[in-house]
Amino acid sequence: MRNLTSPPKLVIFDCDGVVVDSEPLTLNLLCEDLASHGLSLSLPEVIDLAVGGTIGGIGVQAKAMGAAILDDWADQFYEKMFAVLGQSVELIPGIEAVLDALDHQGIPFAIGSNGSHRKMGITLGRCGVAERFAGRAFSPEDVANPKPAPDVYLLAASKIEIAPGDCVVIEDSVAGARAGVAAGMVVMGFTHDTPAAKFAGITDMLFDDMADLPALLGLNAQ
């Protein structure tokens, strides 16, 4: 486990649950949808199944667990999810102040998500921050493998020309945290909706309030 001794040269945020508060909306919809397909799971069970994964991967697992879903299930679920997010999603409280603090000190930031570009366009657009991540929002569509593979984080660092060891990843999922570790980056676990115990032995530090992040990143030290 490593501690920051100075501000990072690049901060890479996961999108869902870190920048936009999309997880509760998506998880509740997923719980209802799987139940309608014959797989009744509690919300905690759906969280374990889904957080940090891809919709396609969730469909494969759900089918293996007995859900009566067809090959086009993921496409149908995406359309339902996009409609809900486009109407209701909001920013994670405090994230804009974090972005402002990074801008103030000239530290670039990016997104490395397991969500699609279309999904990020909807959520970031509705929340009014799409322009802040223009050209710096990366998805599994851009790489060979989704998280927990490090591909999307390594791509972000490469595009912005920052060495992985000088990057910090902000994650709310175990899969994403493992991706950041595999990329050789400092990983900070956001525990606002994720139990801290899930990050045990993986992340370099934990926090549960975005208001604390600028100080943890050393942005107030300069």
Side-chain angles (χ1 to χ4, degrees):
M1 299 298 170
R2 295 167 292 176
N3 291 317
L4 289 173
T5 56
S6 62
K9 294 182 179 179
L10 172 64
V11 178
I12 313 175
F13 298 92
D14 178 43
C15 189
D16 298 297
V18 173
V19 176
V20 295
D21 198 11
S22 54
E23 296 288 35
L25 296 169
T26 301
L27 291 169
N28 281 302
L29 180 64
L30 184 60
C31 197
E32 295 171 3
D33 189 274
L34 291 179
S36 74
H37 287 84
L39 182 61
S40 294
L41 299 175
S42 67
L43 187 56
E45 288 173 326
V46 170
I47 290 171
D48 285 339
L49 175 70
V51 172
T54 63
I55 297 300
I58 293 165
V60 171
Q61 293 182 71
K63 189 171 185 177
M65 296 168 69
I69 57 179
L70 301 178
D71 291 343
D72 64 348
W73 173 83
D75 291 337
Q76 292 185 17
F77 184 79
Y78 270 124
E79 294 305 318
K80 297 176 185 177
M81 179 179 66
F82 292 153
V84 169
L85 295 176
Q87 293 174 354
S88 305
V89 72
E90 302 291 345
L91 287 172
I92 290 288
I95 188 65
E96 282 194 286
V98 175
L99 302 183
D100 289 344
L102 290 167
D103 276 340
H104 180 70
Q105 293 203 7
I107 297 172
F109 49 83
I111 283 177
S113 177
N114 254 4
S116 66
H117 280 290
R118 183 181 174 193
K119 182 180 182 183
M120 286 190 283
I122 290 168
T123 58
L124 298 175
R126 172 179 160 77
C127 293
V129 295
E131 286 302 314
R132 302 193 76 164
F133 292 99
R136 294 179 291 163
F138 304 97
S139 93
E141 296 162 330
D142 304 315
V143 294
N145 302 293
K147 305 172 193 178
D151 301 27
V152 73
Y153 284 136
L154 292 173
L155 176 63
S158 175
K159 290 291 188 181
I160 302 173
E161 300 183 333
I162 302 293
D166 292 324
C167 301
V168 169
V169 164
I170 312 298
E171 265 291 351
D172 73 324
S173 76
V174 172
R178 292 191 186 280
V181 171
M185 301 176 180
V186 173
V187 180
M188 302 177 68
F190 183 44
T191 61
H192 180 67
D193 291 315
T194 304
K198 288 185 177 292
F199 290 121
I202 304 172
T203 55
D204 296 295
M205 66 180 76
L206 302 175
F207 70 106
D208 65 2
D209 189 338
M210 279 296 167
D212 298 330
L213 186 55
L216 291 174
L217 290 172
L219 302 185
N220 299 333
Q222 290 188 334

